[in-house]
Amino acid sequence: IIEQNPLIRDLGHIPRFFVTDLWTTVPPFKRGSYYRPVWQIWATLSFTLHGLRPAAWHANVVIVHLLVTALLFPVARRITGRADAAIVAALLFGLHPVHGEVVAWIAGANASLSAVPFLIAPLLGWRSFERDGSARLRALGGSVLAFVVALLTKEDAIALPGVLALTTLAIPWPGRERPSLREIALTLMPYLVAILIVGFSIIFPLFK
């Protein structure tokens, strides 16, 4: 999916990634159900920067994993309310051998790529509960946008609204009351709309 993928060799092919699945871009060019536009964009940018040099590709995967590890720290700190616990959680995640395949296997970078927006989304989502007016809308809009990117990276991201709802009920809220169920439900509406838009306008027509 890298060496024999002609589309990642030209930035002009990026729009095509959103209207086709990955297997139609590599020999034997048969239609499948592996929809990974964000991964293909990452692969195209990587090829543009350094061609097919294996060391550079592995370095890119490690950089993405380090970014995920760094993002896990503020997420864990927000959930636990403790910086020391967040540091331990991030280090355990970053160094745990269970992630060996994700880091060593270039095609497995998709898991890390999806984790980046998946972690950004709740950070901004929680912030939206702490803001008013335009600041709240900006935080919520950024969270929904990150959710859409996560959906276009890996379908597992569809679980994010549920994760956001449960964590919002569980995490500490110093300086304000815990958001009510009604407030949480209203906040989740844009995420559900995003699922419908992405599903019905892109993914479902692609594989019908």
Side-chain angles (χ1 to χ4, degrees):
I1 60 176
I2 296 174
E3 188 175 7
Q4 299 182 39
N5 189 338
L7 297 188
I8 68 170
R9 299 166 187 262
D10 186 347
L11 292 171
H13 290 144
I14 287 179
R16 182 175 172 182
F17 300 150
F18 292 94
V19 295
T20 186
D21 72 276
L22 179 59
W23 296 129
T24 61
T25 67
V26 296
F29 304 105
K30 292 184 178 181
R31 185 176 180 179
S33 58
Y34 198 58
Y35 186 64
R36 294 291 185 268
V38 173
W39 183 91
Q40 292 191 87
I41 293 172
W42 172 79
T44 302
L45 295 174
S46 297
F47 182 87
T48 301
L49 290 173
H50 47 67
L52 292 174
R53 287 179 291 177
W57 282 85
H58 284 293
N60 283 356
V61 176
V62 171
I63 289 171
V64 176
H65 180 69
L66 291 175
L67 178 57
V68 175
T69 302
L71 284 170
L72 188 63
F73 170 75
V75 171
R77 182 174 60 180
R78 188 67 182 82
I79 291 174
T80 64
R82 296 177 52 183
D84 55 349
I87 291 174
V88 172
L91 288 176
L92 284 175
F93 175 88
L95 299 175
H96 200 287
V98 74
H99 300 300
E101 182 177 348
V102 173
V103 177
W105 185 36
I106 295 174
N110 196 65
S112 296
L113 287 171
S114 67
V116 172
F118 193 94
L119 292 172
I120 291 174
L123 286 172
L124 293 174
W126 295 326
R127 182 179 297 177
S128 72
F129 289 109
E130 302 170 329
R131 301 291 189 271
D132 296 311
S134 60
R136 172 179 169 80
L137 291 177
R138 285 195 299 270
L140 182 58
S143 179
V144 174
L145 179 59
F147 174 53
V148 171
V149 174
L151 277 177
L152 294 175
T153 309
K154 201 173 183 183
E155 60 277 356
D156 300 15
I158 199 171
L160 191 140
V163 171
L164 180 59
L166 292 175
T167 53
T168 300
L169 290 171
I171 64 177
W173 290 91
R176 67 148 290 169
E177 293 183 359
R178 189 182 309 279
S180 65
L181 290 176
R182 179 178 181 277
E183 189 177 1
I184 294 173
L186 290 174
T187 300
L188 291 180
M189 292 303 296
Y191 299 88
L192 302 180
V193 171
I195 291 174
L196 293 176
I197 292 175
V198 172
F200 285 105
S201 65
I202 300 177
I203 298 179
F204 291 161
L206 187 63
F207 302 117
K208 67 180 180 179

